[in-house]
Amino acid sequence: MTVTASRGPKGALAQPPEKNGLGELRLALTRNLRTSGIYVALVALIALFALITGGASLSAGNVTNIVLQYSYILVLAIGMVIVIIAGHIDLSVGSVVALTGAISAITVIKYDLPWWVGVLAALATGLLIGAWHGFWVAYVGIPAFIVTLAGMLLFRGLTLFVLDNVSLSPFPDEYGVIASGFINGWLGGYGYDVFTLVVFALGVVGFAMSQYRSRKARMGYHQPVPPLSLFALKILAVGVLVMAFAWKLASARGLPVVLIMLAVLIMAYTVMMQHTVFGRQIYAIGGNLAAASLSGVKVRAVNFWIFVNMGLLSAVAGIVFSSRTNGAQPGAGNMFELDAIAAAFIGGAAVTGGVGKVVGAMAGGLIMAVMSNGMQLMGIDQSLQSVVKGLVLLLAVAFDIWNKRRAGAH
Amino acid sequence: MPDYILEMRSITKSFPGVKALADVTFSAERGEVHAICGENGAGKSTLMKVLSGVYPHGSYGGEILFEGKTCEFSGIRDSERAGIVIIHQELALVPHLSIAENIFLGNERRGRGGLIDWHKTQAEAAELLNAVGLGEEPTTPVGQLGVGKQQLVEIAKALAKDVKLLILDEPTAALNDNDSAHLLDLVRALQERGITSIIISHKLNEIEATANRTTVIRDGQTVETLDMVAPDVNVDRIVRSMVGRDLESFYPERNPTPGEVVLEVRDWTVRHPQQDRLVVDGASFEVRAGEVVGIAGLMGAGRTEMAMSLFGRSYGRFVSGRTLIHGKPVAPRTVAEAIGHGLAYVTEDRKQLGLNLLDTITRNVSGAALPKLAKWGFVDANLEAKLARHSMDSMRIKAPSVQSVVGKLSGGNQQKVVLSKWLLTGPDVLIIDEPTRGIDVGAKFEIYTLINEFVESGKAVVVISSDLLELLGTCDRIYALSGGRITGELPVAEANEEKLMTLMTKEKEAIG
Ligand SMILES: Nc1ncnc2c1ncn2[C@@H]1O[C@H](COP(=O)(O)OP(=O)(O)OP(=O)(O)O)[C@@H](O)[C@H]1O
Ligand SMILES: [Mg+2]
């Protein structure tokens, strides 16, 4: 006889997951804790500061403030997590924020051109800088750490040069709308903005539907899914939190323009990373460079575009920042790169590349944001704030490693 | 009452979603060579990791007795202190460090003031190299050695730790016949010095020749322990125990019906990427539709280098040569172009060159065919999942789901993932480098069957293998390669091991 068809069905070979209810729930929880750990941490942190500050951190004004104040870090973190997934790093983004902001300010303030010309000039500068980095990293083969360290010095120097070492302000009012504008009263208001609430409600419904669909798809392919109760709980928790957030915004000044921009960016980049060939190739390069190139991935081109994209997003952050500060300063964006890198790593990206998620980086960035903001409200000294942030970064990554090891050992 | 150096009782070990070891009981007598056999994913490597403390006490069930004492190792250091040393399926040497530094890594020979005593290190390393029969300078960087020699360095490293029980997980999987023979001789020599060895292997004839006893594991359970000197115990007996029934032959029947030439290579010449020497020197060969063509050669003959340079110039610097596919001259300069022309190359080194160990089965399987699964740059996730599912079923990849991370699969199952990945690109010519490295007998047969089905649909396959019997059993024609040159071509009907060996060593003898 021969061996071909007589090995029994697949199921007989693979051990199915524990079937009893308790074991299943425990499995689902441990598995989900690993992916949802940072979200839980974020919520816990929000609750903690709400307690300490006696609810001040949850005031409508403060919630809105956090969004405005950290939006540009989050924009940078989107680009950064992509760079990190590919196994690189970008140390120059703070300088690029400064230079692009300066270019925009010069265009609009010095040359008196319309605000959108300034925006376009900044974006073009960002693209050029990204292409410059991409060229050295991808086509010459110099490690990104070196290339962007050089870029950090180079573009900071250029900022000082084009600004002649002095600040430039103020921008016309239209420019300020980018970072500090709100949409309010489109559907009327009764002490709170209905439009904001409607937008967020639609968002929650969309989220629930897409989660449900992916759950069904997974079940269709006989892949393990968390039990329905846990799934519903998750949707409910997300929904409640998001609507609470929306309520805060609605009862303050309405829907911030930058938040819309940020939401669009997050969704677009999440789709790109998960559903496009380009995004997949980024994970492949970071996971195993040699295997990726032997699978037909055009490694150089992908690396090049990753840096072009980082340059573009740095320019977006530069525009938002210059709009928020209503001008360009030689020292703008100092240390932003570190916040963006920290956000990516707290959000679960791996130093060795190949692992990470855009939403993770957003959660990581929000953890940093909530912490800084909370400590500011408490009147904690700058020096201590920095100590705490450093420790949190270290502990977050340590927790991640511990978690992985535990998963491997059991 | 036999003198057991090791007893493992009712060992169980679970990973999320997988019960890797359900109930394994196994014991080794002092001074024996004890083989462990079983299908891919049976739990062999896991059992040895439990034994050596990779999985610490508390993370598994059951009891381990070593030299009569209960052991509760919390890490690999503990087990090494007790005298148990494991050499993993994947070698763990540091390529940039010298042989001597590698041998004493983590076990440094210190002199006064705690500083490393380099004289002592070199001298002892030289002694150990002598003991394992490796004629290299202790100062040579390990990266310059071939796999066979690296394996010997690993054993020297084990000897430096006063090993009593040596565990070798598939030590010969990546070795050619000569190196394997040398390694197994060494294991027997160690046995004479009183060292007990546990050896995991899918090469059953080696086990038959080397082991005193063999324990067979299936689906995480001990099936039986066979005494290899018993009269009725042979390879067939082990196979029956592994797969649960008889295996009539190791190779499926082939009825070759060669058609037109699909791939033609003329005067292919490639230079080493750094050094100024030719690695492939004027090689010409052809492959027809419906044909399986073998390439035989010793380590360093340039087999892999030739295949990789043909595959979008992935190796070395191209000097000259032409390739024709379906009679049309093509010159793929990148892997993407090569894939576009219907070429596929399955690497011999799945961990380094074949897989993204961090990602799922689905994404690894779709990795090379991604552009084909996409519209406007967006991957069709449903189609992708369906194809991954199909691959997993048809290749019998053993894993909890298609979303399982590939790094956690057993070695053989990883090999199947790499194969699936390349079959999914829909190639006309499939070049497979060491198709069954680390694969169990049953799965080997399945892979050969798959190759047959593939060529029967009018496609062509090139098999590169260090296992001459595999070439003889699966190919229609075999080319021999030596020193980068094709030194002969034999139809399988006229070929045998001896003739191939003569051709494979031809150039070498001519040079001296
Ligand atoms: N770290 C891990 N996490 C999850 N599952 C694992 C892990 N390590 C091993 N497994 C699973 O345990 C089972 C046994 O794996 P193991 O590596 O011991 O097999 P093996 O007998 O050595 O196979 P091979 O001959 O292919 O090397 C497999 O199903 C594998 O997928
Ligand atoms: Mg194994």
Side-chain angles (χ1 to χ4, degrees), chain B residues 339-358:
Chain B
I339 295 173
H341 287 304
L343 286 178
Y345 168 70
V346 182
T347 171
E348 59 175 339
D349 189 347
R350 54 178 172 254
K351 297 239 159 165
Q352 302 298 326
L353 305 178
L355 293 169
N356 178 356
L357 296 174
L358 302 172

Side-chain angles (χ1 to χ4, degrees), chain B residues 81-114:
Chain B
R81 212 167 294 132
I84 301 174
V85 179
I86 182 166
I87 299 179
H88 287 284
Q89 205 162 349
E90 295 78 38
L91 297 182
L93 297 170
V94 188
H96 294 296
L97 295 183
S98 71
I99 294 180
E101 284 167 314
N102 267 292
I103 289 180
F104 294 107
L105 193 64
N107 181 24
E108 286 79 5
R109 290 294 176 259
R110 290 166 207 261
R112 243 179 306 150

Side-chain angles (χ1 to χ4, degrees), chain B residues 292-309:
Chain B
V292 182
V293 167
I295 295 188
L298 296 173
M299 194 98 28
R303 297 166 301 176
T304 297
E305 290 81 355
M306 179 172 80
M308 284 181 67
S309 64

Side-chain angles (χ1 to χ4, degrees), chain A residues 8-223:
Chain A
K10 187 86 213 82
L13 287 170
Q15 156 85 11
E18 296 174 62
K19 267 282 137 41
N20 58 29
L22 210 72
E24 202 179 333
L25 187 69
R26 215 191 56 196
L27 197 75
L29 276 176
T30 39
R31 196 178 279 160
N32 287 314
L33 186 67
R34 281 181 58 204
T35 48
S36 55
I38 40 164
Y39 307 104
V40 174
L42 177 59
V43 174
L45 217 63
I46 294 172
L48 180 73
F49 279 112
L51 266 177
I52 296 176
T53 60
S57 68
L58 288 185
S59 75
N62 189 51
V63 169
T64 304
N65 195 30
I66 292 183
V67 172
L68 299 185
Q69 206 176 338
Y70 291 93
S71 53
Y72 39 86
I73 297 290
L74 294 183
V75 171
L76 290 175
I78 294 175
M80 190 63 79
V81 75
I82 295 172
V83 168
I84 287 172
I85 289 168
H88 305 293
I89 196 87
D90 191 335
L91 301 176
S92 73
V93 296
S95 299
V96 181
V97 163
L99 183 59
T100 50
I103 295 289
S104 177
I106 290 169
T107 317
V108 179
I109 300 172
K110 229 183 192 165
Y111 293 102
D112 224 7
L113 290 162
W115 67 272
W116 53 268
V117 180
V119 168
L120 289 181
L123 292 177
T125 309
L127 286 173
L128 272 177
I129 292 172
W132 163 263
H133 285 153
F135 167 75
W136 291 103
V137 173
Y139 292 100
V140 185
I142 300 177
F145 188 92
I146 310 287
V147 171
T148 58
L149 183 63
M152 174 172 149
L153 300 169
L154 193 65
F155 299 119
R156 179 64 63 189
L158 282 181
T159 309
L160 296 175
F161 179 74
V162 297
L163 284 179
D164 247 343
N165 267 331
V166 292
S167 301
L168 209 55
S169 67
F171 275 109
D173 286 349
E174 301 99 305
Y175 197 85
V177 171
I178 300 170
S180 322
F182 291 87
I183 292 175
N184 199 344
W186 280 13
L187 293 179
Y190 310 90
Y192 49 87
D193 181 41
V194 178
F195 179 71
T196 306
L197 292 177
V198 169
V199 167
F200 274 89
L202 286 176
V204 170
V205 171
F207 173 76
M209 271 174 18
S210 82
Q211 289 284 309
Y212 186 69
R213 227 181 304 147
S214 90
R215 180 187 154 86
K216 284 230 55 185
R218 283 180 70 97
M219 284 177 9
Y221 292 111
H222 306 287
Q223 289 158 21

Side-chain angles (χ1 to χ4, degrees), chain A residues 407-408, chain B residues 15-16 18-20 38-47 49 55 89 169-170 202 398-400 408-413 438:
Chain B
F15 298 103
V18 196
K19 191 144 201 174
E39 297 183 302
N40 296 126
K44 305 177 296 293
S45 298
T46 306
L47 183 69
K49 286 179 184 166
Y55 300 131
Q89 205 162 349
D169 195 350
E170 299 196 32
H202 290 294
K398 190 183 165 187
K408 290 181 178 171
L409 301 184
S410 77
N413 283 303

